């Protein structure tokens, strides 16, 4: 046996060469320069605080109220403020995010990246099973209580529960992703079990392709889904249909809807959207109508009313229903609010003898 010196058995790290040290120093200096430059630019030329609504406004308010230097929440508040007030973050960073999303296939934490560039809200696609069961039971009770109160005023209530994008467009989800589509079916069945009149939207949409139901870069629906649902409602309530000449409806290309890109720091109207394959959203255009067939939103006194969220406020379901029923429609849609808030708002506007016959 021959002894071997320890230094021959262990290979120590060699000191970096002069070139490697220079490269590392340059990288560190560049990183520091970017950070300092960003801070200076934002301090000198800060943008005004934007007007926030809905969930985003609530998140900012929570971050501001819960900031604490010792538990990390202060850093979360600073990051939240930078996201909405930093000129660099709002002006330049969206281009970088769009390039990462298109060529790197790297969705943000709040989104799920599917096939053909489709995006899904992770908050809506991933559901806790135990909480989901509780939500189904709670929704059933709330709607049963609302039905009793509404029908006590002589109003017929019909609920249109819209299934999640991840439940009806599962073919666009990444392989192996479980969005628990049974949740939406259980919710509809629970509503019916409480005696609430329900149009089964999930069943009505079952034969339509995904691109006709939801928008690829948004959590809202496409025009095709609205047309299918409007036809289903009209078929379910033939007694409310008036025989009047229907106006000619023309489909037009509206601006792309890309609300899910907000998770990536890309505002809806930012030019970085041009780096992505965003398709126009189909909208409907209705020519001037006769007095017999008006589509005035917010008509007080009409016998049919529609209350809902941004799906109602920003899209064409109300117009399609008005055309199919042949009558005026009182539309109350709240962006960023729950549909029960829209019901309360409608109740204030249509109190007493002014109440609609169908809601």
């Amino acid at each position: 046996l021959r002894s071997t010196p320890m230094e021959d058995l262990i290979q120590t790290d060699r000191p970096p060469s002069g070139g490697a040290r220079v490269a590392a120093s340059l990288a560190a200096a560049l990183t520091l320069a970017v950070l300092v430059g960003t801070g200076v630019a934002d301090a000198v030329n800060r943008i005004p605080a934007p007007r926030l609504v809905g969930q985003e406004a609530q998140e900012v308010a929570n971050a501001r109220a819960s900031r604490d230097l010792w538990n990390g929440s202060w850093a979360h508040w600073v990051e939240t403020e930078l996201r909405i007030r930093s000129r660099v973050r709002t002006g330049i960073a969206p281009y970088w995010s769009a390039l990462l999303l298109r060529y790197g296939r790297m969705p943000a934490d709040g989104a799920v990246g599917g096939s053909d560039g489709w995006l899904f809200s992770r908050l809506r696609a991933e559901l806790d099973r135990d909480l989901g069961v509780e939500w189904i039971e709670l929704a059933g009770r709330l709607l049963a209580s609302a039905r009793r109160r509404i029908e006590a005023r002589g109003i017929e209530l019909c609920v249109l529960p819209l299934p999640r994008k991840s439940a009806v467009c599962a073919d666009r989800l990444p392989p192996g992703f479980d969005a628990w589509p049974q949740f939406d079916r259980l919710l509809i069945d629970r509503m019916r079990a409480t005696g609430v009149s329900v149009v089964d939207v999930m069943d009505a949409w079952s034969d339509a392709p995904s691109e006709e139901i939801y928008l690829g870069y948004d959590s809202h629906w496409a025009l095709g889904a609205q047309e299918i649902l409007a036809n289903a409602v009209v078929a379910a309530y033939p007694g409310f249909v008036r025989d009047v000449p229907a106006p000619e409806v023309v489909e037009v290309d509206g601006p792309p809807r890309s609300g899910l890109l907000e998770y990536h720091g890309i505002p809806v109207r930012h030019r970085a959207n041009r780096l992505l394959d965003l398709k126009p959203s189909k909208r409907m255009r209705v020519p001037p109508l006769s007095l017999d067939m008006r589509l005035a939103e917010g008509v007080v006194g009409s016998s049919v009313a529609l209350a809902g969220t941004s799906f109602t406020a920003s899209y064409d379901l109300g117009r399609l229903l008005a055309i199919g029923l042949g009558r005026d429609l009182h539309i109350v849609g709240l962006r960023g609010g729950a549909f029960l808030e829209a019901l309360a708002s409608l109740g204030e506007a249509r109190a007493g003898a002014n109440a609609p016959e169908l809601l």
Side-chain angles (χ1 to χ4, degrees):
L1 297 176
R2 182 174 64 87
S3 61
T4 304
M6 185 62 69
E7 57 268 20
D8 293 340
L9 295 176
I10 301 176
Q11 182 179 0
T12 58
D13 293 334
R14 296 179 180 179
S17 63
R21 284 196 297 269
V22 171
S25 300
L26 288 175
L30 179 61
T31 301
L32 182 61
V34 170
L35 292 175
V36 172
T38 299
V40 171
D42 290 334
V44 173
N45 194 18
R46 201 177 192 189
I47 63 176
R51 179 178 177 272
L52 305 177
V53 297
Q55 181 179 346
E56 189 174 21
Q58 187 62 46
E59 290 176 354
V60 172
N62 292 341
R64 184 178 292 114
S66 62
R67 52 188 172 181
D68 189 321
L69 187 61
W70 305 108
N71 63 6
S73 57
W74 191 282
H76 174 64
W77 171 72
V78 171
E79 164 61 21
T80 302
E81 288 291 311
L82 283 175
R83 178 171 55 83
I84 63 174
R85 297 289 299 274
S86 166
R87 189 171 295 277
V88 174
R89 288 282 295 271
T90 58
I92 300 175
Y95 291 105
W96 176 246
S97 299
L99 290 173
L100 287 179
L101 183 61
R102 177 164 185 174
Y103 298 106
R105 304 296 182 188
M106 299 172 63
D109 292 339
V112 176
S115 61
D116 299 328
W118 274 51
L119 293 176
F120 298 81
S121 168
R122 187 174 296 276
L123 182 65
R124 299 181 183 183
E126 289 184 349
L127 297 181
D128 182 280
R129 301 295 177 98
D130 295 332
L131 286 177
V133 172
E134 294 181 12
W135 293 341
I136 290 171
E137 182 62 28
L138 179 60
R141 292 180 181 179
L142 285 174
L143 282 175
S145 175
R147 177 183 64 84
R148 290 192 294 269
R149 292 172 178 267
I150 291 172
E151 292 184 352
R153 299 175 56 186
I155 305 172
E156 188 171 356
L157 175 66
C158 175
V159 179
L160 314 175
L162 304 183
R164 294 168 300 145
K165 179 179 179 179
S166 54
V168 293
C169 302
D171 59 315
R172 299 303 177 94
L173 286 168
F177 189 94
D178 182 12
W180 190 26
Q182 295 83 1
F183 169 84
D184 303 78
R185 169 51 55 196
L186 292 171
L187 180 61
I188 293 174
D189 292 344
R190 180 69 181 91
M191 291 178 183
R192 280 181 165 167
T194 62
V196 175
S197 177
V198 175
V199 171
D200 194 331
V201 186
M202 200 168 191
D203 182 62
W205 287 350
S206 60
D207 295 330
S210 295
E211 59 271 16
E212 291 186 9
I213 302 177
Y214 274 97
L215 303 171
Y217 285 93
D218 203 277
S219 291
H220 291 94
W221 50 3
L223 180 59
Q226 300 167 68
E227 292 173 335
I228 294 172
L229 180 53
N231 292 335
V233 173
V234 171
Y237 291 91
F240 285 90
V241 178
R242 293 173 57 204
D243 185 16
V244 296
E248 180 183 359
V249 177
V250 180
E251 289 189 10
V252 296
D253 287 340
R257 299 275 184 167
S258 56
L260 288 174
L261 293 181
E262 295 280 358
Y263 287 113
H264 302 78
I266 307 174
V268 172
R269 293 178 177 84
H270 197 279
R271 292 185 177 182
N273 285 278
R274 300 176 183 178
L275 300 176
L276 300 167
D277 185 23
L278 300 183
K279 296 178 174 57
S281 60
K282 295 292 184 181
R283 299 297 304 272
M284 57 174 289
R285 184 176 62 195
V286 182
L289 306 172
S290 65
L291 293 178
D292 188 47
M293 179 55 202
R294 292 177 297 130
L295 288 178
E297 294 188 11
V299 174
V300 176
S302 56
S303 59
V304 181
L306 175 66
T309 60
S310 56
F311 283 79
T312 299
S314 306
Y315 294 85
D316 296 318
L317 176 63
R319 294 180 177 87
L320 291 166
L321 281 175
I323 292 172
L325 295 172
R327 59 176 67 240
D328 296 338
L329 211 67
H330 184 177
I331 303 173
V332 177
L334 297 182
R335 298 178 180 90
F339 81 97
L340 288 178
E341 297 178 52
L343 282 179
S345 176
L346 180 66
E348 294 176 2
R350 304 293 298 275
N354 195 32
E357 298 176 28
L358 175 64
L359 171 59

